Amino acid sequence: MSTQPIEITTPSILATIPSTAATFLMCPPKLYDVNYVINPWMAGNVHASSRTRAAEQWQRLYEAVSTIANVQLVEPQPGSPDMVFTANAGLERNGTVAISSFFHPERQGEEPHFRRWFELAGYKVIDTPRATPFEGEGDALFSTDGTRLFVGYGPRTVPSSHQALRKIWGIEVTSLHLTDPRFYHLDTCFAPLEGGYVMYFPEAFDQASLDKIEAFYPLEKRIIVAESDAVCFACNAINVDRTIILNNISSDLRHQLESRGFDVIEVTLTEFLKAGGAAKCLVMKLSQVMPDGRPAR
Ligand code: ARG
């Protein structure tokens, strides 16, 4: 693997983003690698990703996200190669962040680094208990109307962590059981989209969870993803207004999204798939304005 330094180029487009736009937290992949196996995608891929290619792919994603949102950066830290997947840092809403309590010891070292970033940025930080693992926005997604929090459980997050989230934000929580080890985080198989749509891979859930999804989203709002797209992390999509940014998908799925009015931007993310993540795992959504009232950049 190449050890050459990685330059992060700030896209000039950033200057044109209004401060009221969506904000995402990203972590440059300077120290990214597949160092251990904590999900099925990592098996056979230890040290098999190219840091140079990962840097190029991440840069493309960074540029694409910067055209629709503000981007904040957190410094990667030695010993935390998965820190690039900022979706797992925690869950933020209205200036309060519930910091993740990772299931695997391999990622627990990230917690203080993310915690420090949020404290310095002025957020109210709430620790979640080690005894009840919770992996942040990787497993917890708000409906786009903000009325409900969908939280996955099974491989990582435990259901007993959901009650704390309900209390923190006083929001209705719908717990969804993830039953396929390949789709070990909710954001790998489920994406609430603007316009009241949802894009998901049904086979990743048990029947009771599918019933809950169908109770919230009427038939005409459900975009069902086939297995061939699901394993390319199609559901791992970043959505701001009508724009969707995701890994490469089939022309059929692209057409389905476009016919509902979405602009689709595909960014090749092969190097991150080797760690079990893609577009949405590489960003964490933040409130538009920092808690101290400053615009978010
Ligand atoms: N290797 C990381 C892990 O297994 C990938 C995390 C992907 N993140 C996500 N939000 N799905 O934890």
Side-chain angles (χ1 to χ4, degrees):
M1 187 181 54
S2 149
T3 53
Q4 74 187 66
I6 291 162
E7 290 299 322
I8 302 303
T9 324
T10 307
S12 53
I13 188 88
L14 227 133
T16 66
I17 302 297
S19 60
T20 50
T23 298
F24 291 100
L25 178 65
M26 296 182 72
C27 175
K30 286 184 255 183
L31 303 175
Y32 168 67
D33 196 4
V34 181
N35 276 359
Y36 43 74
V37 177
I38 57 170
N39 69 53
W41 306 93
M42 298 173 104
N45 277 326
V46 171
H47 303 311
S49 66
S50 151
R51 196 171 282 170
T52 308
R53 256 201 315 277
E56 288 163 4
Q57 295 180 352
W58 186 92
Q59 179 72 29
R60 295 287 91 73
L61 182 70
Y62 177 52
E63 286 170 7
V65 175
S66 297
T67 63
I68 53 167
N70 301 301
V71 179
Q72 299 268 315
L73 296 177
V74 54
E75 263 302 296
Q77 300 294 328
S80 293
D82 269 339
M83 228 180 128
V84 68
F85 298 112
T86 51
N88 297 121
L91 181 70
E92 191 271 346
R93 180 170 158 123
N94 298 339
T96 297
V97 191
I99 298 287
S100 289
S101 205
F102 283 93
F103 180 81
H104 292 105
E106 286 87 341
R107 293 199 68 183
Q108 289 169 1
E110 298 174 35
E111 294 164 13
H113 302 308
F114 283 126
R115 186 180 211 289
R116 195 172 332 109
W117 189 91
F118 282 109
E119 274 173 358
L120 287 174
Y123 287 86
K124 178 179 174 202
V125 172
I126 297 179
D127 289 314
T128 58
R130 168 74 58 233
T132 55
F134 165 64
E135 297 208 351
E137 205 186 78
D139 264 328
L141 297 165
F142 291 103
S143 59
T144 48
D145 66 6
T147 61
R148 187 172 300 234
L149 181 62
F150 292 98
V151 192
Y153 70 93
R156 302 288 181 90
T157 294
V158 298
S160 48
S161 70
H162 297 188
Q163 181 59 20
L165 305 173
R166 191 176 282 128
K167 279 206 199 123
I168 292 172
W169 289 288
I171 192 168
E172 268 206 72
V173 170
T174 297
S175 303
L176 301 174
H177 190 189
L178 302 171
T179 54
D180 182 330
R182 296 173 300 171
F183 302 97
Y184 59 95
H185 278 142
L186 183 65
D187 70 358
T188 64
C189 51
F190 181 87
L193 299 177
E194 288 296 337
Y197 290 101
V198 65
M199 173 165 68
Y200 67 115
F201 176 54
E203 286 95 313
F205 299 93
D206 67 6
Q207 190 55 49
S209 303
L210 290 174
D211 291 346
K212 293 181 203 173
I213 294 170
E214 291 172 11
F216 190 79
Y217 292 100
L219 183 61
E220 68 277 12
K221 294 291 186 184
R222 299 178 213 146
I223 302 169
I224 306 286
V225 172
E227 184 170 16
S228 51
D229 273 316
V231 296
C232 295
F233 279 68
C235 299
N236 199 243
I238 301 167
N239 173 218
V240 176
D241 300 327
R242 305 310 289 179
T243 305
I244 293 178
I245 303 174
L246 74 191
N247 187 39
N248 302 106
I249 52 169
S250 66
S251 50
D252 178 58
L253 181 57
R254 193 183 171 101
H255 175 74
Q256 281 202 57
L257 292 168
E258 287 174 344
S259 67
R260 287 165 171 96
F262 290 105
D263 297 325
V264 177
I265 301 175
E266 295 182 33
V267 179
T268 301
L269 293 166
T270 51
E271 298 316 298
F272 298 100
L273 259 63
K274 293 172 185 169
K280 161 70 185 62
C281 304
L282 292 164
V283 305
M284 176 186 176
K285 192 152 201 296
L286 301 179
S287 291
Q288 295 172 3
V289 174
M290 305 298 266
D292 63 5
R294 280 180 295 133
R297 86 188 141 80

